[in-house]
Amino acid sequence: MTYKTYEYDSFRIFTVQTDQFKNCHMEVIFQGDATKENLTHQSFLAEMISFTSKKFPTRKEFVIRLEELYNAYFYGVTTKVGKSLLTNFIFDFLDPSYISSKHYLEDCMEFLFDTIKHPNMTKQEFDYASFQVVKNRLRSEIESLKENGVNYSIRRCLQEMYPNSVSSQSVLGSIEALEGITPSNLVEVYQKFWESNYCDIYIIGNLDMDEMAKLIKKYFKNPVIKTHEQEVFVNNSKIKSVAKVCEPGKFVQSNLVVGYQMQGFTKQEYDVVLSVFGEIFCGTSLNSKLYEYLRNENSLCYRVQTVYQKYDESLLVSVGLESQNKDLAVKLIQKAMKEMASGKFSLEELDMAKKQLALAVSMSLDSQNSIINNYVFYNLVHSPLLEERLEQIMEVTKEQVMAIAKKFKIACVYELKEASHEGD
């Protein structure tokens, strides 16, 4: 694989040339600040732009054009990464060497950038029919968050930990914000989007990347010139007391979330040591500490998982169990964390964790999306590239794992309590 960068005044292009795959993967990523006010609006905008366009104003016409481009695939997605809001327009298309048409690559680039730059709108408003379809879809997605006890509990725990921080906000935002969006004020959102977001473009495939850069420059004009670095990490205030919250639920099991705040981590600890810690604490192995204590020894649950949101300084331990077992589960989670800090894990466990992570890194090298995602975070927060990450993982010591375990501080115990049953 050959990595190359092209720098222009208002955007950058990052390319990975490889003949490993039969298709090409491209991401046009816009980066701006994540705020409570713009989450729903920008999620809505990404959906609208990827649904129809000025040139292909109905969904049928839009899909037919993608089929004509040999079943190219295009969609938009918005992701919150700490303080930053990333709006990705993702485009997958066939390796041009398999196609006889000399204009295929140019047709693809014309479609991609014409769709992004010329959505289905006038100066006054977006197309009403498309608007209503997207609005109904987003309403269903937001409402469905409450129907998933696991995701809802994790979000509620974050809200208790960081009530006034963007860390507690869902990228989809709220129904209230959604209902305030109209075809006309979404035009204002679109205009502001172009005025405030930086743009990076990533491509991987068997392509002449110099030619690709020329094509992109031909079809893409971005008015924003980057003048400062975009911040990603959220510096939340240190949490001094543990919040304990229990809410009634409607599910057959209680959903318990124990939230920890990460305090004073170094870059090396975030980039590499945290992964090794996580694999021993509650990773893919059935012998991880939490799995051993909660399932094997005490049969408290069927499900235990950890969610790391390192750009929000958070570790969330999520468990599905019967409410009567909550207190014991919390004690066992804290016991496991204390044992990680005191070094009560073997060198064999450390070695196994490294091997599991090495396997995951090797598998990532076989995925276009994973390779590009790695380069995105390499440029966004200077994370190590996959090969470098593999080397650093193998060098992690037991003392380093113990050191970061001491930096986790329990901040919240949240329970979405199981529904009551007749006769209880």
Side-chain angles (χ1 to χ4, degrees), residues 186-406:
L186 192 61
V187 173
E188 298 174 14
V189 173
Y190 177 73
Q191 292 168 342
K192 187 176 180 180
F193 173 82
W194 281 106
E195 293 169 359
S196 58
N197 281 265
Y198 299 142
C199 181
D200 287 329
I201 300 170
Y202 292 82
I203 316 161
I204 182 170
N206 187 24
L207 299 163
D208 181 333
M209 294 305 180
D210 291 340
E211 182 63 28
M212 282 297 299
K214 291 177 183 177
L215 277 176
I216 291 170
K217 196 173 180 183
K218 176 180 177 180
Y219 287 106
F220 181 58
K221 299 292 185 291
N222 180 33
V224 177
I225 296 177
K226 188 170 183 177
T227 58
H228 67 276
E229 290 299 318
Q230 184 78 37
E231 292 186 24
V232 174
F233 282 91
V234 182
N235 297 314
N236 288 305
S237 299
K238 286 189 177 181
I239 298 171
K240 297 180 180 179
S241 59
V242 181
K244 296 182 179 180
V245 181
C246 179
E247 292 184 6
K250 59 181 180 180
F251 304 97
V252 295
Q253 274 194 328
S254 287
N255 285 283
L256 169 69
V257 181
V258 179
Y260 286 87
Q261 186 177 44
M262 304 176 187
Q263 297 183 354
F265 277 44
T266 66
K267 185 178 184 304
Q268 172 72 2
E269 288 172 337
Y270 270 128
D271 287 344
V272 183
V273 185
L274 181 59
S275 298
V276 180
F277 163 89
E279 192 64 31
I280 301 171
F281 184 62
C282 183
T284 55
S285 170
L286 298 182
N287 295 317
S288 70
K289 281 195 174 293
L290 291 188
Y291 196 96
E292 188 70 28
Y293 290 159
L294 296 177
R295 285 206 59 181
N296 292 350
E297 292 184 4
N298 293 281
S299 301
L300 297 184
C301 63
Y302 289 104
R303 176 189 60 80
V304 55
Q305 66 185 99
T306 49
V307 178
Y308 294 89
Q309 296 197 184
K310 67 180 184 180
Y311 305 110
D312 299 289
E313 303 177 317
S314 303
L315 159 64
L316 305 160
V317 181
S318 175
V319 186
L321 41 56
E322 292 183 4
S323 184
Q324 65 190 32
N325 295 324
K326 181 193 76 172
D327 291 341
L328 177 57
V330 173
K331 288 180 182 179
L332 292 173
I333 291 167
Q334 290 181 280
K335 174 187 176 182
M337 183 64 77
K338 288 177 182 177
E339 289 185 354
M340 293 297 296
S342 65
K344 195 174 180 181
F345 57 93
S346 66
L347 292 177
E348 288 77 16
E349 288 175 288
L350 178 66
D351 186 58
M352 180 59 69
K354 292 179 182 181
K355 289 179 179 177
Q356 292 283 358
L357 291 168
L359 178 61
V361 171
S362 299
M363 292 175 64
S364 294
L365 289 167
D366 291 327
S367 165
Q368 285 180 311
N369 291 51
S370 295
I371 293 169
I372 288 299
N373 187 63
N374 182 226
Y375 277 106
V376 169
F377 281 89
Y378 173 74
N379 291 306
L380 195 64
V381 292
H382 310 296
S383 293
L385 294 177
L386 289 171
E387 294 85 351
E388 181 185 1
R389 176 178 167 78
L390 181 57
E391 292 178 5
Q392 292 179 4
I393 284 172
M394 302 311 292
E395 295 172 357
V396 171
T397 66
K398 183 173 183 177
E399 289 71 25
Q400 288 176 310
V401 175
M402 292 166 58
I404 71 164
K406 295 173 184 176

